[in-house]
């Protein structure tokens, strides 16, 4: 299911290594079909013969070849009228009045894209490896004190997850003006926003036009939160370029 420009696709991405299919959103115009969102469920990827249907009451429903429900889009009120894959990489469900009632941007997996935001409690979970989409060893969380943190994921969870990065953007002395959003804007700039509209820049300000480059920020499987760019128009087998990352030295 392509977006109008064809930049993004929603559907089953064929994983060649094990002949399984990942219900996901990916960049469709670049050679490696980079995944930008996927259903974060132990049952995804799914075997050949699985299906996804659009149901008026529950939205998207993922089923295995035997018809057993593996995942669905819960958590909204009203009846779904239609779905829309837009050019920002956001899959949206709308009601009959064209009101948004669910969006993939609200349920990030390991990646955020321009026009996507993180709010208090938002989490990105790493995957096991670049090709293994099982939930991995690290996560990023935006805390309600205004800090963005990276932590190890205790398996099984012991409640003692180790923090190895903290943005230190909370300001206990100025509680009336907290950081309350992480914004990835349309120009490719990733920053933290305070109630007073003051910004705390995370990524470099001097990036090339978003009309010429794709941008994404991803919690990689090795625990590094990385900001990438990729030319929209290219010749040959162009790759993603790292523009910024935290921690800068994961080994130490």
């Amino acid at each position: 299911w392509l977006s109008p420009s064809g930049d993004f696709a929603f559907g089953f991405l064929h994983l060649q290594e094990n002949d399984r299919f990942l219900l996901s959103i990916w960049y469709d115009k670049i050679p490696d079909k980079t995944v930008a969102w996927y259903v974060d469920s132990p049952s995804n990827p799914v075997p050949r013969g699985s299906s996804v249907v659009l149901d008026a009451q529950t939205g998207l429903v993922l089923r295995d070849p035997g018809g057993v429900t593996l995942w669905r889009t819960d958590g909204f009120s009203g009846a779904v009228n239609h779905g829309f894959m837009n050019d920002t990489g956001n899959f949206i469900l709308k009601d009959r009045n064209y009101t948004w009632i669910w969006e993939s941007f609200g349920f990030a997996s390991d990646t955020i894209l321009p026009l996507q935001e993180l709010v208090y409690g938002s989490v990105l979970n790493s995957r096991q490896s670049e090709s293994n989409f099982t939930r991995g060893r690290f996560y990023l969380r935006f805390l309600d004190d205004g800090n963005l943190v990276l932590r190890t994921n205790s398996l099984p969870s012991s409640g003692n997850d180790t923090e190895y990065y903290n943005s230190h953007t909370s300001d206990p002395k100025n509680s009336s003006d907290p950081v309350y959003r992480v914004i990835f804007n349309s120009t490719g700039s990733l920053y933290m926003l305070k109630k007073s509209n003051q910004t705390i820049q995370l990524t470099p300000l001097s990036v090339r036009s978003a009309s010429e480059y794709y941008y994404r920020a991803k919690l990689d499987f090795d625990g590094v939160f990385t900001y990438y760019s990729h030319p929209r128009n290219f010749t040959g087998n162009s790759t993603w370029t790292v523009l910024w990352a935290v921690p800068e030295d994961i080994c130490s």
Side-chain angles (χ1 to χ4, degrees):
W1 190 338
L2 291 175
S3 69
S5 68
D7 284 339
F8 291 95
F10 167 82
F12 291 105
L13 183 65
H14 188 198
L15 304 180
Q16 300 290 342
E17 290 185 4
N18 53 14
D19 196 35
R20 292 176 74 84
F21 297 81
L22 186 73
L23 182 58
S24 56
I25 294 169
W26 64 88
Y27 291 87
D28 198 57
K29 287 185 175 179
I30 62 177
D32 67 357
K33 309 297 183 186
T34 303
V35 173
W37 176 87
Y38 55 94
V39 170
D40 186 8
S41 165
S43 59
N44 195 35
V46 294
R48 188 181 297 274
S50 300
S51 64
V52 62
V53 298
L54 187 60
D55 179 84
Q57 301 305 316
T58 55
L60 297 171
V61 182
L62 174 64
R63 297 190 176 112
D64 70 10
V68 175
T69 297
L70 303 175
W71 171 85
R72 61 185 183 182
T73 52
D74 291 324
F76 57 83
S77 59
V80 177
N81 180 267
H82 65 281
F84 178 60
M85 181 69 245
N86 74 17
D87 284 330
T88 65
N90 190 13
F91 189 90
I92 301 160
L93 298 179
K94 300 181 182 181
D95 64 17
R96 61 185 299 177
N97 298 315
Y98 290 82
T99 301
W100 294 18
I101 57 177
W102 186 91
E103 58 177 335
S104 59
F105 271 15
F107 299 87
S109 48
D110 62 2
T111 300
I112 59 172
L113 302 175
L115 296 181
Q116 194 166 2
E117 299 182 2
L118 298 179
V119 298
Y120 293 152
S122 292
V123 177
L124 300 182
N125 289 291
S126 71
R127 55 182 92 156
Q128 284 283 348
S129 70
E130 196 60 35
S131 58
N132 183 342
F133 291 84
T134 305
R135 185 173 293 189
R137 298 172 53 202
F138 308 96
Y139 65 93
L140 175 149
R141 182 182 293 274
F142 182 42
L143 304 180
D144 58 10
D145 64 4
N147 286 325
L148 197 65
V149 298
L150 290 168
R151 293 173 176 167
T152 58
N153 191 13
S154 300
L155 297 174
S157 179
S158 64
N160 295 318
D161 298 352
T162 302
E163 184 177 294
Y164 60 95
Y165 169 81
N166 190 308
S167 64
H168 296 295
T169 45
S170 67
D171 187 0
K173 296 180 180 179
N174 189 11
S175 59
S176 63
D177 189 24
V179 172
Y180 77 107
R181 286 282 193 278
V182 178
I183 307 290
F184 202 166
N185 71 13
S186 61
T187 65
S189 180
L190 185 64
Y191 58 90
M192 307 182 84
L193 183 66
K194 303 183 83 171
K195 289 283 188 181
S196 63
N197 287 327
Q198 179 185 351
T199 62
I200 301 171
Q201 194 68 28
L202 293 174
T203 57
L205 280 170
S206 55
V207 295
R208 296 182 179 180
S209 170
S211 64
E212 299 176 14
Y213 284 81
Y214 297 121
Y215 293 103
R216 64 187 175 103
K218 178 189 172 192
L219 180 58
D220 287 326
F221 71 90
D222 59 3
V224 181
F225 186 47
T226 310
Y227 175 66
Y228 294 95
S229 73
H230 190 294
R232 290 176 180 264
N233 300 307
F234 57 91
T235 56
N237 190 20
S238 182
T239 59
W240 291 92
T241 299
V242 175
L243 300 180
W244 171 88
V246 291
E248 292 183 359
D249 181 2
I250 191 63
C251 295
S252 61

